[in-house]
Amino acid sequence: MTRTTMTRLADGREILYFDDAGSAARPAESLVDHRDLPARPEPGELRFDALSREWVAVAAHRQARTHLPPADQCPICPTTPANQTEIPAPDYDVAVFENRFPSLGPDASQIPSAPVWGTTAPAVGRCEVVAFTPEHTGSFAELGWRRTRTVVDAWAHRTEALSALPGIKQVFPFENRGPEIGVTLHHPHGQIYAYPYVTPRAAVLAAAAGEYFDNSDGAATLTSSLLQAERSDGSRMVLEGEHFSAYVPFAARWPLEVHLVPHRQVPDLAALNGGERDELAQLYPELLRRFDALYPTPTPYIAAWHQAPLDPGMRRAGQLHLQLTSPRRAADKLKYLAGSEAAMGAFINDTTPESVAARLREAAGVGTPATLTPEGAPA
């Protein structure tokens, strides 16, 4: 079992250490933050856009956040005498802590339920940083099975804990990888946002899922049915396991886009059982390695874990899935969201889903969908 230890940083923020299975208990001294930190900044602001009926977070204090520091000044490397960081321990496996420059939080509470033009509220919620490894260089795909399994447990733990905070409506773990995506730290890491509202994209997906669920009299979910259709067709399948399968969706929006879907209907990462987590720790890095195998240089990506919103009406038909996307449309070209996409939300893809799926299959030297089992996982 992954060992979890919680403590607090010098300014009161929570930090949790998730240590690989079988590791020893952490020495008490390694949990103490000796920095003299200023008080946490005041929260940002939520403003209601009456034209779209969407909330917008205004977080001007984030302008001061750290931006691509050199390795000897990295704020999420283990602490050394010369570099006291956000992670006080001299070593760690996986660490999760409250963001010092959050878009949302630190408080969690309800927001106005009937907003109109001019409605504002404190930007409540929670933003956390997930440091995947103490190593400053590398990538998620290179963590190895055991460390990846620890990250999966950390995601599940934080999903459950953040979902229980007052006013939280949706929990979103994600990773931005690469300067082309806009990362501000080179160190391999991800983030988790806990929103006080259902995000626009999640609301659209939940509405479609709920309608499909109702039309089937509760006998089928939209996500599972799409997976079944893709597996039957086969031309866009990339990986198939015992518990998860991955495919390029029929109407992919991005030059590179893969959905990784559990075979069982689960609302979020916290609901995965041990066997499912074991396999996820194998298949997910395999997808990332295939993304990187397409070109001579690392592929930028956004790994977005779509979890069912916490509203019961949305949750009954929701199903966990990963949406892995990249704007890379050629070795030296990126897709930018310009007029049609940015202004209208009407995507135009520069690649065909079938050709992308074939390239991702071939990236592992396989011409047909592979069946993988978790290497190194318990039998």
Side-chain angles (χ1 to χ4, degrees), residues 280-366:
L280 180 58
Q282 175 67 15
L283 296 189
Y284 176 44
E286 173 66 15
L287 280 180
L288 298 181
R289 286 190 288 270
R290 294 190 187 200
F291 263 46
D292 275 347
L294 296 178
Y295 298 108
T297 56
T299 296
Y301 63 75
I302 297 174
W305 288 99
H306 289 267
Q307 305 195 105
L310 298 173
D311 178 87
M314 295 180 173
R315 200 166 179 81
R316 61 194 173 88
Q319 184 164 339
L320 169 74
H321 67 280
L322 169 74
Q323 182 185 39
L324 181 63
T325 61
S326 175
R328 194 173 198 176
R329 58 188 178 91
D332 58 349
K333 296 177 182 177
L334 296 176
K335 177 181 181 62
Y336 294 96
L337 299 190
S340 185
E341 291 89 356
M344 292 291 101
F347 275 70
I348 302 168
N349 198 345
D350 303 305
T351 61
T352 64
E354 293 75 18
S355 66
V356 170
R359 293 176 64 206
L360 289 169
R361 290 194 297 266
E362 292 163 3
V366 178

Side-chain angles (χ1 to χ4, degrees), residues 24-335:
R26 290 198 155 269
E29 175 59 25
S30 73
L31 305 178
V32 179
D33 185 1
H34 295 285
R35 295 174 298 170
D36 183 16
L37 294 178
R40 302 177 72 172
E42 291 297 313
E45 184 179 59
L46 292 177
R47 296 189 178 192
F48 183 69
D49 178 4
L51 194 62
S52 64
R53 301 198 59 79
E54 297 172 1
W55 287 99
V56 177
V58 179
H61 60 277
R62 284 175 56 78
Q63 291 278 23
R65 68 188 187 275
T66 306
H67 183 75
L68 299 178
D72 62 354
Q73 298 174 33
C74 174
I76 57 176
C77 281
T79 282
T80 67
N83 183 33
Q84 292 188 318
T85 74
E86 293 281 75
I87 302 174
D91 195 17
Y92 66 89
D93 293 337
V94 176
V96 180
F97 59 92
E98 290 183 73
N99 197 322
R100 190 174 178 183
F101 303 99
S103 302
L104 303 168
D107 295 329
S109 63
Q110 299 285 343
I111 59 175
S113 59
V116 296
W117 180 89
T119 299
T120 65
V124 293
R126 179 75 73 94
C127 293
E128 297 185 341
V129 177
V130 184
F132 299 140
T133 170
E135 302 299 327
H136 182 72
T137 58
S139 69
F140 194 107
E142 299 169 330
L143 293 180
W145 181 83
R146 187 166 300 282
R147 181 59 47 79
T148 302
R149 183 64 169 76
T150 302
V151 174
V152 172
D153 279 346
W155 284 334
H157 179 287
R158 299 314 299 150
T159 292
E160 184 173 18
L162 295 174
S163 296
L165 292 178
I168 296 303
K169 300 294 193 297
Q170 180 185 343
V171 178
F172 174 48
F174 64 99
E175 181 194 358
N176 297 326
R177 192 274 190 104
E180 300 90 342
I181 298 297
V183 298
T184 58
L185 296 174
H186 292 299
H187 193 119
H189 72 288
Q191 301 178 67
I192 305 175
Y193 276 23
Y195 298 97
Y197 51 86
V198 177
T199 61
R201 179 64 174 164
V204 169
L205 297 182
E211 181 179 351
Y212 188 92
F213 189 78
D214 290 340
N215 289 341
S216 70
D217 294 325
T221 65
L222 180 57
T223 302
S224 292
S225 297
L226 291 175
L227 173 59
Q228 182 178 353
E230 291 288 1
R231 295 182 79 182
S232 296
D233 179 279
S235 63
R236 289 171 297 277
M237 293 304 299
V238 178
L239 296 172
E240 293 185 80
E242 180 183 355
H243 303 293
F244 284 84
S245 289
Y247 62 89
V248 178
F250 174 78
R253 300 179 174 209
W254 294 90
L256 295 175
E257 180 172 351
V258 174
H259 292 190
L260 179 62
V261 181
H263 297 170
R264 183 171 67 95
Q265 182 193 3
V266 292
D268 54 30
L269 289 155
L272 295 175
N273 62 35
E276 290 164 337
R277 296 185 191 191
D278 287 346
E279 185 174 87
L280 180 58
Q282 175 67 15
L283 296 189
Y284 176 44
E286 173 66 15
L287 280 180
L288 298 181
R289 286 190 288 270
R290 294 190 187 200
F291 263 46
D292 275 347
L294 296 178
Y295 298 108
T297 56
T299 296
Y301 63 75
I302 297 174
W305 288 99
H306 289 267
Q307 305 195 105
L310 298 173
D311 178 87
M314 295 180 173
R315 200 166 179 81
R316 61 194 173 88
Q319 184 164 339
L320 169 74
H321 67 280
L322 169 74
Q323 182 185 39
L324 181 63
T325 61
S326 175
R328 194 173 198 176
R329 58 188 178 91
D332 58 349
K333 296 177 182 177
L334 296 176
K335 177 181 181 62

